[in-house]
Amino acid sequence: MKVTLIKGDGIGPEVIGAAQRVIDATGADIEWEEIPLEFKDNAPAIDGILESIRKTKICLKGPITTPVGYGFTSLNVSLRKALSLYAGVRPAKSFDGNIDIVIIRENTEGLYTGIEFSVASSACAIRTITKEGSERIIRFAFEYARKNNRKKVTCVHKANILKLTCGLFLKTAKEIASLYPDIEFEDRLVDNASMQLVKKPEDFDLIVTTNLFGDIISDLCAGIIGGLGVAPGANIGDNFAVFEPVHGSCPKYAGLNIANPIAAILSGSMMLKYLKKANCAEKIEKAISSIMEKGILPKDWGGNYSLAQITEEIINNL
């Protein structure tokens, strides 16, 4: 099974390198096609990456630094558009099992696409929500729920204010929910949902929402399970899938051997499940739970174990 490997920059090469080692140690028999991160006109070159993913159809990817307030468009956004990776899947599961939420985020529309322009002294952004895009992501959410034994889908929106865009998303969600009578459905305003996620996370099972809301809520959920260091993610379309940790490149920690590799390793576990190698994925998740129970913790969890040590401990517990 050939998989495209993009290690990224910042802490990316360290955490993705750790994930690669752990996956290989499970005996999953993956052939890696590593594509180096190259720059053209001061922006990440995307052509070679796209060529490889279109061939392998699967990618394990590390974080790539995106300038704040200036510079090039996020490579993640570019990949999602080019490959139609419309579904962002971000599980948030605590190791004690008390919190188990999946966020399904629409990946290709809304404010997050960054369609902006300036008029005189003002700056404007365009938020586009389509019927087609809404139907596609909401069907994906309900199918995911059914396949993974999820009992409830919550549509998160702001239709009381954004009456046309969020109104369309909510209306579509209600229509599709009627086709899945075996799954409970509810909707919540994004501000209320954010508060309730902190107060009563056990009330949530699977959340489906628009692009920007999904980005924010998935980080909130990462916070309540212990941080971005344990938050895996995937971007999935009908033909391709890219798996990557939710966190960024964190360049100030690059090369220091202190980053938490668990989010990247769990992203690799998600990839193995997608490739129908569930046995290998289960080995990884059990090994991570085992070292956590023993108090072998990364530095962002208050432990004293380095990235390399955490990786070795997981491999030794497979």
Side-chain angles (χ1 to χ4, degrees):
M1 186 74 70
K2 186 172 284 190
V3 171
T4 299
L5 184 72
I6 304 164
K7 290 187 175 177
D9 60 12
I11 62 171
E14 294 172 86
V15 297
I16 295 299
Q20 183 183 10
R21 287 190 60 212
V22 171
I23 291 167
D24 287 342
T26 67
D29 194 23
I30 299 294
E31 180 183 347
W32 303 99
E33 181 169 287
E34 183 172 351
I35 306 299
L37 183 61
E38 298 176 342
F39 285 78
K40 182 180 179 181
D41 299 326
N42 296 318
I46 195 172
D47 291 346
I49 294 172
L50 286 174
E51 181 182 356
S52 177
I53 297 174
R54 284 175 174 142
K55 181 173 59 177
T56 65
K57 302 189 184 304
I58 305 290
C59 175
L60 180 63
K61 176 186 163 297
I64 296 172
T65 306
T66 302
V68 178
Y70 69 96
F72 57 82
T73 299
S74 163
L75 182 66
N76 285 347
V77 172
S78 299
L79 286 175
R80 291 167 193 164
K81 287 182 177 179
L83 299 171
S84 193
L85 305 173
Y86 59 85
V89 181
R90 296 186 170 184
K93 185 176 182 179
S94 61
F95 287 98
D96 61 12
N98 291 332
I99 299 170
D100 186 2
I101 305 167
V102 175
I103 299 91
I104 305 291
R105 165 193 178 190
E106 202 292 316
N107 257 349
T108 63
E109 300 184 340
L111 274 177
Y112 197 91
T113 52
I115 304 172
E116 299 180 299
F117 59 94
S118 297
V119 178
S121 59
S122 300
C124 300
I126 296 176
R127 184 180 200 251
T128 301
I129 302 291
T130 68
K131 179 74 169 176
E132 178 187 13
S134 299
E135 286 181 345
R136 186 169 62 174
I137 191 62
I138 294 162
R139 284 186 188 277
F140 181 97
F142 275 94
E143 286 297 319
Y144 184 99
R146 185 174 276 176
K147 290 174 185 175
N148 292 276
N149 199 30
R150 296 277 166 174
K151 303 301 183 184
K152 181 170 73 171
V153 170
T154 302
C155 174
V156 172
H157 60 90
K158 192 64 178 173
N160 60 331
I161 303 299
L162 301 170
K163 297 181 187 297
L164 294 180
T165 50
C166 269
L168 174 59
F169 192 82
L170 175 59
K171 180 175 181 290
T172 305
K174 289 179 177 178
E175 290 171 354
I176 292 177
S178 67
L179 305 177
Y180 294 82
D182 53 314
I183 299 171
E184 182 184 350
F185 174 75
E186 66 171 6
D187 70 277
R188 296 190 188 226
L189 296 172
V190 64
D191 41 353
N192 175 260
S194 299
M195 180 183 70
Q196 297 301 333
L197 277 164
V198 175
K199 291 179 64 178
K200 298 179 180 179
E202 66 276 6
D203 286 352
F204 294 86
D205 190 354
L206 185 147
I207 293 170
V208 62
T209 189
T210 54
N211 204 339
L212 183 60
F213 293 165
D215 187 48
I216 296 167
I217 286 175
S218 60
D219 275 25
L220 185 157
C221 290
I224 63 177
I225 63 165
L228 290 173
V230 293
N235 300 295
I236 299 172
D238 292 334
N239 301 305
F240 310 102
V242 175
F243 298 83
E244 60 183 339
V246 172
H247 62 69
S249 60
C250 216
K252 68 179 180 179
Y253 295 130
L256 300 181
N257 194 29
I258 61 174
N260 186 345
I262 291 176
I265 294 169
L266 286 173
S267 298
S269 176
M270 289 180 69
M271 182 188 77
L272 291 173
K273 289 177 183 176
Y274 184 87
L275 292 172
K276 302 192 187 320
K277 296 178 181 286
N279 183 50
C280 295
E282 288 167 9
K283 288 181 185 179
I284 292 173
E285 291 167 15
K286 287 179 180 178
I288 292 173
S289 294
S290 176
I291 69 163
M292 291 289 199
E293 289 170 2
K294 294 173 184 175
I296 301 169
L297 304 176
K299 293 184 182 296
D300 61 332
W301 271 46
N304 294 312
Y305 287 80
S306 69
L307 181 151
Q309 289 171 324
I310 292 288
T311 305
E312 288 298 331
E313 291 290 344
I314 291 171
I315 290 172
N316 290 339
N317 279 270
L318 284 173

